[in-house]
Amino acid sequence: MILAKVADGVWLYEMPAFVADTLLSLPDWVESDDPEVRKRLLPDAYADPEEDRAWRAALGSSLEHLFATRTAIVRGDLKNLRVHAEGEGWESGEDADPEPFTPDRARFSVFIPAAHLSAWVSTLQAGTHALFILEGLSAEDLGDELDEIEDDDRKVSLVRLSVLQEILVRLIED
Amino acid sequence: MPPPDRATVATPWRPLRRGAWRAATQTDTAPETDTQTTTRLAPPWNVVVHDDPVTTMVYVVRVFMEIFDYGRPKAHELMMEVHTTGRAVVWTGDREQAELFVHKLHGKHLLAHLEQSDADS
């Protein structure tokens, strides 16, 4: 995967199908109605239940609205996900691919407009929390070497999590 | 000879209320009645950020810089405190502002809550 910062935004391209699939799943993870996910994305502000209820009544809905708006932005950008052959540039007609296109050579690209970057960063961050909870991962899992993990599903979840983290970090890098 | 009037007797030294001493040759007067008004300031509130297993260090530094307008060294120092001790008080002040900060931190998906500062409790 290549991340290219251009004047009006960021291109993510040369993404293998697994990375594209992870991004396409991101909005659904963030909007999961799993109680633990909702609790993590809308955590307590006060230890005192009474104070916290008042807090949620006053501000909880504004956070929900904020998150929904950001997720909608990401979902909208992902509708423009394009498929191309490995080695092909993201610009139309650039580096025309002389080799026949085969599924294993499929790569994906998506453009994130500069005005949407903040929504993407927050949604990626929310997605890491949601995925961590939905897949039942633990802090210990994150310290394990992938080769040492026998459970394939767990391994896939950890790679998806690292994909989200890597894209997020590269987006906010100076 | 009649005893001197108690109110006009001179004593060489006597303590003042604040512990200072003075030559006390002046006339004593009736005891003062102090009327004190105590104004207690509203206790300060801490904004506390907690560690979590998935948030990256670089993201936390970025959020601290953005929300609190901290320079990178301070933001990094606070991030390290969160990372190594599990939590850090990242700001202390009036409640209204503290609530605003916690709202912003929740908007960035950091675990944060408000607590009254021990300094005034």
mmCIF file of all heavy atoms in Angstrom, chain A residues 16-54:
data_model
loop_
_atom_site.group_PDB
_atom_site.id
_atom_site.type_symbol
_atom_site.label_atom_id
_atom_site.label_comp_id
_atom_site.label_asym_id
_atom_site.label_seq_id
_atom_site.Cartn_x
_atom_site.Cartn_y
_atom_site.Cartn_z
ATOM 1 N N PRO A 16 -3.780 -3.980 -1.466
ATOM 2 C CA PRO A 16 -4.261 -5.330 -1.737
ATOM 3 C C PRO A 16 -5.732 -5.446 -1.321
ATOM 4 O O PRO A 16 -6.239 -4.620 -0.554
ATOM 5 C CB PRO A 16 -3.394 -6.218 -0.833
ATOM 6 C CG PRO A 16 -2.280 -5.368 -0.370
ATOM 7 C CD PRO A 16 -2.745 -3.954 -0.429
ATOM 8 N N ALA A 17 -6.378 -6.492 -1.808
ATOM 9 C CA ALA A 17 -7.808 -6.676 -1.529
ATOM 10 C C ALA A 17 -8.088 -6.717 -0.016
ATOM 11 O O ALA A 17 -9.104 -6.206 0.448
ATOM 12 C CB ALA A 17 -8.299 -7.958 -2.192
ATOM 13 N N PHE A 18 -7.161 -7.299 0.727
ATOM 14 C CA PHE A 18 -7.375 -7.419 2.175
ATOM 15 C C PHE A 18 -7.467 -6.036 2.842
ATOM 16 O O PHE A 18 -8.310 -5.807 3.716
ATOM 17 C CB PHE A 18 -6.211 -8.219 2.795
ATOM 18 C CG PHE A 18 -6.307 -8.364 4.277
ATOM 19 C CD1 PHE A 18 -7.133 -9.324 4.835
ATOM 20 C CD2 PHE A 18 -5.574 -7.539 5.118
ATOM 21 C CE1 PHE A 18 -7.237 -9.454 6.209
ATOM 22 C CE2 PHE A 18 -5.669 -7.663 6.492
ATOM 23 C CZ PHE A 18 -6.499 -8.628 7.036
ATOM 24 N N VAL A 19 -6.614 -5.121 2.415
ATOM 25 C CA VAL A 19 -6.621 -3.767 2.987
ATOM 26 C C VAL A 19 -7.897 -3.035 2.568
ATOM 27 O O VAL A 19 -8.555 -2.378 3.380
ATOM 28 C CB VAL A 19 -5.373 -2.977 2.544
ATOM 29 C CG1 VAL A 19 -5.448 -1.524 3.000
ATOM 30 C CG2 VAL A 19 -4.112 -3.633 3.097
ATOM 31 N N ALA A 20 -8.265 -3.192 1.289
ATOM 32 C CA ALA A 20 -9.489 -2.540 0.808
ATOM 33 C C ALA A 20 -10.702 -3.070 1.563
ATOM 34 O O ALA A 20 -11.585 -2.306 1.969
ATOM 35 C CB ALA A 20 -9.643 -2.776 -0.690
ATOM 36 N N ASP A 21 -10.716 -4.375 1.781
ATOM 37 C CA ASP A 21 -11.841 -4.988 2.492
ATOM 38 C C ASP A 21 -11.903 -4.486 3.938
ATOM 39 O O ASP A 21 -12.988 -4.242 4.480
ATOM 40 C CB ASP A 21 -11.683 -6.518 2.462
ATOM 41 C CG ASP A 21 -12.815 -7.207 3.159
ATOM 42 O OD1 ASP A 21 -13.969 -7.038 2.714
ATOM 43 O OD2 ASP A 21 -12.577 -7.886 4.173
ATOM 44 N N THR A 22 -10.728 -4.298 4.539
ATOM 45 C CA THR A 22 -10.683 -3.777 5.911
ATOM 46 C C THR A 22 -11.275 -2.370 5.955
ATOM 47 O O THR A 22 -12.075 -2.054 6.845
ATOM 48 C CB THR A 22 -9.224 -3.771 6.424
ATOM 49 O OG1 THR A 22 -8.737 -5.120 6.423
ATOM 50 C CG2 THR A 22 -9.121 -3.197 7.825
ATOM 51 N N LEU A 23 -10.891 -1.549 4.986
ATOM 52 C CA LEU A 23 -11.434 -0.179 4.964
ATOM 53 C C LEU A 23 -12.937 -0.182 4.705
ATOM 54 O O LEU A 23 -13.683 0.603 5.312
ATOM 55 C CB LEU A 23 -10.721 0.658 3.892
ATOM 56 C CG LEU A 23 -9.286 1.095 4.209
ATOM 57 C CD1 LEU A 23 -8.754 1.974 3.087
ATOM 58 C CD2 LEU A 23 -9.221 1.848 5.535
ATOM 59 N N LEU A 24 -13.379 -1.070 3.823
ATOM 60 C CA LEU A 24 -14.813 -1.116 3.528
ATOM 61 C C LEU A 24 -15.622 -1.557 4.750
ATOM 62 O O LEU A 24 -16.787 -1.196 4.895
ATOM 63 C CB LEU A 24 -15.076 -2.062 2.355
ATOM 64 C CG LEU A 24 -14.670 -1.519 0.979
ATOM 65 C CD1 LEU A 24 -14.724 -2.622 -0.075
ATOM 66 C CD2 LEU A 24 -15.574 -0.365 0.554
ATOM 67 N N SER A 25 -15.000 -2.313 5.619
ATOM 68 C CA SER A 25 -15.696 -2.785 6.830
ATOM 69 C C SER A 25 -15.683 -1.742 7.947
ATOM 70 O O SER A 25 -16.478 -1.832 8.892
ATOM 71 C CB SER A 25 -15.017 -4.058 7.363
ATOM 72 O OG SER A 25 -14.973 -5.050 6.378
ATOM 73 N N LEU A 26 -14.783 -0.774 7.831
ATOM 74 C CA LEU A 26 -14.581 0.199 8.914
ATOM 75 C C LEU A 26 -15.870 0.899 9.376
ATOM 76 O O LEU A 26 -16.158 0.926 10.587
ATOM 77 C CB LEU A 26 -13.528 1.221 8.451
ATOM 78 C CG LEU A 26 -13.241 2.414 9.339
ATOM 79 C CD1 LEU A 26 -12.701 1.972 10.694
ATOM 80 C CD2 LEU A 26 -12.234 3.355 8.661
ATOM 81 N N PRO A 27 -16.677 1.453 8.464
ATOM 82 C CA PRO A 27 -17.886 2.146 8.940
ATOM 83 C C PRO A 27 -18.827 1.239 9.731
ATOM 84 O O PRO A 27 -19.433 1.663 10.714
ATOM 85 C CB PRO A 27 -18.552 2.629 7.640
ATOM 86 C CG PRO A 27 -17.441 2.713 6.654
ATOM 87 C CD PRO A 27 -16.534 1.570 6.999
ATOM 88 N N ASP A 28 -18.944 -0.018 9.288
ATOM 89 C CA ASP A 28 -19.848 -0.938 10.005
ATOM 90 C C ASP A 28 -19.331 -1.237 11.412
ATOM 91 O O ASP A 28 -20.121 -1.367 12.348
ATOM 92 C CB ASP A 28 -20.005 -2.249 9.223
ATOM 93 C CG ASP A 28 -20.786 -2.049 7.931
ATOM 94 O OD1 ASP A 28 -21.491 -1.024 7.827
ATOM 95 O OD2 ASP A 28 -20.679 -2.905 7.040
ATOM 96 N N TRP A 29 -18.039 -1.365 11.558
ATOM 97 C CA TRP A 29 -17.490 -1.609 12.907
ATOM 98 C C TRP A 29 -17.800 -0.423 13.816
ATOM 99 O O TRP A 29 -18.219 -0.592 14.951
ATOM 100 C CB TRP A 29 -15.979 -1.824 12.840
ATOM 101 C CG TRP A 29 -15.561 -3.086 12.147
ATOM 102 C CD1 TRP A 29 -16.277 -4.254 12.083
ATOM 103 C CD2 TRP A 29 -14.356 -3.307 11.423
ATOM 104 N NE1 TRP A 29 -15.584 -5.186 11.364
ATOM 105 C CE2 TRP A 29 -14.393 -4.639 10.945
ATOM 106 C CE3 TRP A 29 -13.238 -2.524 11.126
ATOM 107 C CZ2 TRP A 29 -13.367 -5.197 10.195
ATOM 108 C CZ3 TRP A 29 -12.205 -3.087 10.385
ATOM 109 C CH2 TRP A 29 -12.264 -4.395 9.924
ATOM 110 N N VAL A 30 -17.573 0.773 13.285
ATOM 111 C CA VAL A 30 -17.769 1.972 14.116
ATOM 112 C C VAL A 30 -19.244 2.141 14.486
ATOM 113 O O VAL A 30 -19.565 2.609 15.576
ATOM 114 C CB VAL A 30 -17.247 3.228 13.376
ATOM 115 C CG1 VAL A 30 -17.566 4.490 14.153
ATOM 116 C CG2 VAL A 30 -15.743 3.114 13.149
ATOM 117 N N GLU A 31 -20.129 1.718 13.582
ATOM 118 C CA GLU A 31 -21.561 1.897 13.850
ATOM 119 C C GLU A 31 -22.182 0.666 14.500
ATOM 120 O O GLU A 31 -23.416 0.598 14.639
ATOM 121 C CB GLU A 31 -22.285 2.226 12.539
ATOM 122 C CG GLU A 31 -21.915 3.617 12.041
ATOM 123 C CD GLU A 31 -22.636 4.007 10.768
ATOM 124 O OE1 GLU A 31 -23.082 3.110 10.025
ATOM 125 O OE2 GLU A 31 -22.740 5.215 10.522
ATOM 126 N N SER A 32 -21.351 -0.275 14.914
ATOM 127 C CA SER A 32 -21.871 -1.469 15.580
ATOM 128 C C SER A 32 -22.721 -1.082 16.785
ATOM 129 O O SER A 32 -22.396 -0.139 17.508
ATOM 130 C CB SER A 32 -20.694 -2.335 16.048
ATOM 131 O OG SER A 32 -21.136 -3.288 16.990
ATOM 132 N N ASP A 33 -23.815 -1.837 16.983
ATOM 133 C CA ASP A 33 -24.633 -1.553 18.163
ATOM 134 C C ASP A 33 -24.255 -2.447 19.341
ATOM 135 O O ASP A 33 -24.989 -2.531 20.329
ATOM 136 C CB ASP A 33 -26.123 -1.668 17.835
ATOM 137 C CG ASP A 33 -26.475 -3.038 17.281
ATOM 138 O OD1 ASP A 33 -25.593 -3.912 17.248
ATOM 139 O OD2 ASP A 33 -27.642 -3.233 16.879
ATOM 140 N N ASP A 34 -23.114 -3.095 19.243
ATOM 141 C CA ASP A 34 -22.615 -3.883 20.378
ATOM 142 C C ASP A 34 -22.474 -2.950 21.597
ATOM 143 O O ASP A 34 -21.833 -1.889 21.497
ATOM 144 C CB ASP A 34 -21.244 -4.474 20.001
ATOM 145 C CG ASP A 34 -20.659 -5.317 21.120
ATOM 146 O OD1 ASP A 34 -20.152 -4.733 22.109
ATOM 147 O OD2 ASP A 34 -20.702 -6.549 21.016
ATOM 148 N N PRO A 35 -23.077 -3.332 22.720
ATOM 149 C CA PRO A 35 -23.054 -2.442 23.905
ATOM 150 C C PRO A 35 -21.648 -2.045 24.348
ATOM 151 O O PRO A 35 -21.421 -0.913 24.773
ATOM 152 C CB PRO A 35 -23.758 -3.256 24.989
ATOM 153 C CG PRO A 35 -24.538 -4.289 24.273
ATOM 154 C CD PRO A 35 -23.826 -4.574 22.996
ATOM 155 N N GLU A 36 -20.720 -2.996 24.251
ATOM 156 C CA GLU A 36 -19.349 -2.687 24.680
ATOM 157 C C GLU A 36 -18.690 -1.661 23.745
ATOM 158 O O GLU A 36 -17.919 -0.815 24.169
ATOM 159 C CB GLU A 36 -18.508 -3.967 24.743
ATOM 160 C CG GLU A 36 -18.840 -4.868 25.915
ATOM 161 C CD GLU A 36 -18.637 -4.144 27.246
ATOM 162 O OE1 GLU A 36 -17.548 -3.575 27.443
ATOM 163 O OE2 GLU A 36 -19.565 -4.151 28.063
ATOM 164 N N VAL A 37 -19.008 -1.789 22.455
ATOM 165 C CA VAL A 37 -18.465 -0.813 21.499
ATOM 166 C C VAL A 37 -19.051 0.564 21.769
ATOM 167 O O VAL A 37 -18.339 1.576 21.824
ATOM 168 C CB VAL A 37 -18.767 -1.252 20.040
ATOM 169 C CG1 VAL A 37 -18.391 -0.137 19.054
ATOM 170 C CG2 VAL A 37 -18.010 -2.526 19.702
ATOM 171 N N ARG A 38 -20.390 0.603 21.973
ATOM 172 C CA ARG A 38 -21.019 1.909 22.244
ATOM 173 C C ARG A 38 -20.438 2.521 23.520
ATOM 174 O O ARG A 38 -20.213 3.719 23.616
ATOM 175 C CB ARG A 38 -22.537 1.787 22.409
ATOM 176 C CG ARG A 38 -23.355 1.270 21.243
ATOM 177 C CD ARG A 38 -22.923 1.629 19.859
ATOM 178 N NE ARG A 38 -22.641 3.035 19.580
ATOM 179 C CZ ARG A 38 -21.901 3.436 18.559
ATOM 180 N NH1 ARG A 38 -21.348 2.545 17.737
ATOM 181 N NH2 ARG A 38 -21.686 4.689 18.347
ATOM 182 N N LYS A 39 -20.216 1.674 24.521
ATOM 183 C CA LYS A 39 -19.694 2.175 25.804
ATOM 184 C C LYS A 39 -18.273 2.725 25.637
ATOM 185 O O LYS A 39 -17.909 3.722 26.239
ATOM 186 C CB LYS A 39 -19.700 1.042 26.839
ATOM 187 C CG LYS A 39 -19.340 1.472 28.246
ATOM 188 C CD LYS A 39 -19.555 0.327 29.212
ATOM 189 C CE LYS A 39 -18.920 0.585 30.561
ATOM 190 N NZ LYS A 39 -19.335 1.823 31.195
ATOM 191 N N ARG A 40 -17.490 2.063 24.776
ATOM 192 C CA ARG A 40 -16.114 2.546 24.569
ATOM 193 C C ARG A 40 -16.103 3.847 23.768
ATOM 194 O O ARG A 40 -15.286 4.737 24.021
ATOM 195 C CB ARG A 40 -15.282 1.472 23.856
ATOM 196 C CG ARG A 40 -13.867 1.933 23.498
ATOM 197 C CD ARG A 40 -13.095 2.372 24.738
ATOM 198 N NE ARG A 40 -11.839 3.033 24.401
ATOM 199 C CZ ARG A 40 -11.727 4.329 24.118
ATOM 200 N NH1 ARG A 40 -12.798 5.123 24.110
ATOM 201 N NH2 ARG A 40 -10.530 4.847 23.849
ATOM 202 N N LEU A 41 -16.996 3.933 22.795
ATOM 203 C CA LEU A 41 -17.001 5.144 21.973
ATOM 204 C C LEU A 41 -17.683 6.315 22.685
ATOM 205 O O LEU A 41 -17.446 7.467 22.349
ATOM 206 C CB LEU A 41 -17.672 4.867 20.621
ATOM 207 C CG LEU A 41 -16.962 3.819 19.748
ATOM 208 C CD1 LEU A 41 -17.655 3.671 18.401
ATOM 209 C CD2 LEU A 41 -15.477 4.158 19.556
ATOM 210 N N LEU A 42 -18.515 5.991 23.664
ATOM 211 C CA LEU A 42 -19.158 7.031 24.485
ATOM 212 C C LEU A 42 -18.882 6.725 25.946
ATOM 213 O O LEU A 42 -19.780 6.308 26.686
ATOM 214 C CB LEU A 42 -20.662 7.068 24.216
ATOM 215 C CG LEU A 42 -21.061 7.474 22.806
ATOM 216 C CD1 LEU A 42 -22.503 7.099 22.508
ATOM 217 C CD2 LEU A 42 -20.864 8.978 22.630
ATOM 218 N N PRO A 43 -17.651 6.921 26.379
ATOM 219 C CA PRO A 43 -17.275 6.503 27.745
ATOM 220 C C PRO A 43 -17.851 7.438 28.812
ATOM 221 O O PRO A 43 -18.320 8.534 28.508
ATOM 222 C CB PRO A 43 -15.746 6.593 27.720
ATOM 223 C CG PRO A 43 -15.429 7.597 26.674
ATOM 224 C CD PRO A 43 -16.537 7.539 25.657
ATOM 225 N N ASP A 44 -17.785 6.959 30.069
ATOM 226 C CA ASP A 44 -18.242 7.785 31.190
ATOM 227 C C ASP A 44 -17.345 9.015 31.312
ATOM 228 O O ASP A 44 -16.139 8.949 31.073
ATOM 229 C CB ASP A 44 -18.156 6.994 32.510
ATOM 230 C CG ASP A 44 -19.125 5.822 32.530
ATOM 231 O OD1 ASP A 44 -20.046 5.795 31.691
ATOM 232 O OD2 ASP A 44 -18.945 4.937 33.386
ATOM 233 N N ALA A 45 -17.972 10.105 31.733
ATOM 234 C CA ALA A 45 -17.193 11.318 31.998
ATOM 235 C C ALA A 45 -17.011 11.528 33.493
ATOM 236 O O ALA A 45 -16.058 12.182 33.918
ATOM 237 C CB ALA A 45 -17.886 12.532 31.387
ATOM 238 N N TYR A 46 -17.930 10.980 34.273
ATOM 239 C CA TYR A 46 -17.875 11.113 35.735
ATOM 240 C C TYR A 46 -17.967 9.733 36.376
ATOM 241 O O TYR A 46 -18.668 8.855 35.864
ATOM 242 C CB TYR A 46 -19.051 11.948 36.249
ATOM 243 C CG TYR A 46 -18.950 13.422 35.965
ATOM 244 C CD1 TYR A 46 -19.582 13.980 34.859
ATOM 245 C CD2 TYR A 46 -18.254 14.267 36.821
ATOM 246 C CE1 TYR A 46 -19.505 15.348 34.600
ATOM 247 C CE2 TYR A 46 -18.174 15.628 36.567
ATOM 248 C CZ TYR A 46 -18.795 16.157 35.465
ATOM 249 O OH TYR A 46 -18.727 17.508 35.222
ATOM 250 N N ALA A 47 -17.308 9.568 37.506
ATOM 251 C CA ALA A 47 -17.431 8.324 38.262
ATOM 252 C C ALA A 47 -18.807 8.251 38.924
ATOM 253 O O ALA A 47 -19.371 7.161 39.079
ATOM 254 C CB ALA A 47 -16.325 8.239 39.313
ATOM 255 N N ASP A 48 -19.349 9.393 39.291
ATOM 256 C CA ASP A 48 -20.650 9.430 39.954
ATOM 257 C C ASP A 48 -21.761 9.202 38.913
ATOM 258 O O ASP A 48 -21.865 9.962 37.945
ATOM 259 C CB ASP A 48 -20.835 10.801 40.629
ATOM 260 C CG ASP A 48 -22.207 10.915 41.258
ATOM 261 O OD1 ASP A 48 -22.521 10.096 42.125
ATOM 262 O OD2 ASP A 48 -22.966 11.827 40.850
ATOM 263 N N PRO A 49 -22.589 8.163 39.101
ATOM 264 C CA PRO A 49 -23.607 7.829 38.089
ATOM 265 C C PRO A 49 -24.576 8.980 37.817
ATOM 266 O O PRO A 49 -24.988 9.188 36.674
ATOM 267 C CB PRO A 49 -24.345 6.628 38.703
ATOM 268 C CG PRO A 49 -23.412 6.068 39.713
ATOM 269 C CD PRO A 49 -22.603 7.216 40.228
ATOM 270 N N GLU A 50 -24.941 9.692 38.872
ATOM 271 C CA GLU A 50 -25.882 10.812 38.702
ATOM 272 C C GLU A 50 -25.291 11.894 37.800
ATOM 273 O O GLU A 50 -25.925 12.387 36.864
ATOM 274 C CB GLU A 50 -26.199 11.398 40.081
ATOM 275 C CG GLU A 50 -27.330 12.386 40.090
ATOM 276 C CD GLU A 50 -28.683 11.709 40.275
ATOM 277 O OE1 GLU A 50 -28.731 10.478 40.425
ATOM 278 O OE2 GLU A 50 -29.658 12.419 40.251
ATOM 279 N N GLU A 51 -24.042 12.238 38.115
ATOM 280 C CA GLU A 51 -23.343 13.259 37.318
ATOM 281 C C GLU A 51 -23.200 12.778 35.874
ATOM 282 O O GLU A 51 -23.340 13.556 34.932
ATOM 283 C CB GLU A 51 -21.947 13.515 37.895
ATOM 284 C CG GLU A 51 -21.936 14.057 39.310
ATOM 285 C CD GLU A 51 -21.755 15.558 39.330
ATOM 286 O OE1 GLU A 51 -22.272 16.212 38.410
ATOM 287 O OE2 GLU A 51 -21.122 16.048 40.270
ATOM 288 N N ASP A 52 -22.906 11.487 35.734
ATOM 289 C CA ASP A 52 -22.675 10.961 34.394
ATOM 290 C C ASP A 52 -23.963 10.949 33.566
ATOM 291 O O ASP A 52 -23.928 11.231 32.367
ATOM 292 C CB ASP A 52 -22.072 9.553 34.473
ATOM 293 C CG ASP A 52 -21.368 9.192 33.185
ATOM 294 O OD1 ASP A 52 -20.366 9.868 32.849
ATOM 295 O OD2 ASP A 52 -21.843 8.292 32.472
ATOM 296 N N ARG A 53 -25.074 10.632 34.229
ATOM 297 C CA ARG A 53 -26.357 10.656 33.515
ATOM 298 C C ARG A 53 -26.643 12.058 32.978
ATOM 299 O O ARG A 53 -27.081 12.234 31.844
ATOM 300 C CB ARG A 53 -27.494 10.194 34.437
ATOM 301 C CG ARG A 53 -27.863 8.711 34.253
ATOM 302 C CD ARG A 53 -29.190 8.395 34.917
ATOM 303 N NE ARG A 53 -29.145 8.599 36.350
ATOM 304 C CZ ARG A 53 -28.660 7.706 37.212
ATOM 305 N NH1 ARG A 53 -28.189 6.562 36.773
ATOM 306 N NH2 ARG A 53 -28.650 7.957 38.504
ATOM 307 N N ALA A 54 -26.390 13.043 33.824
ATOM 308 C CA ALA A 54 -26.633 14.435 33.412
ATOM 309 C C ALA A 54 -25.717 14.801 32.243
ATOM 310 O O ALA A 54 -26.127 15.476 31.290
ATOM 311 C CB ALA A 54 -26.395 15.364 34.596
#
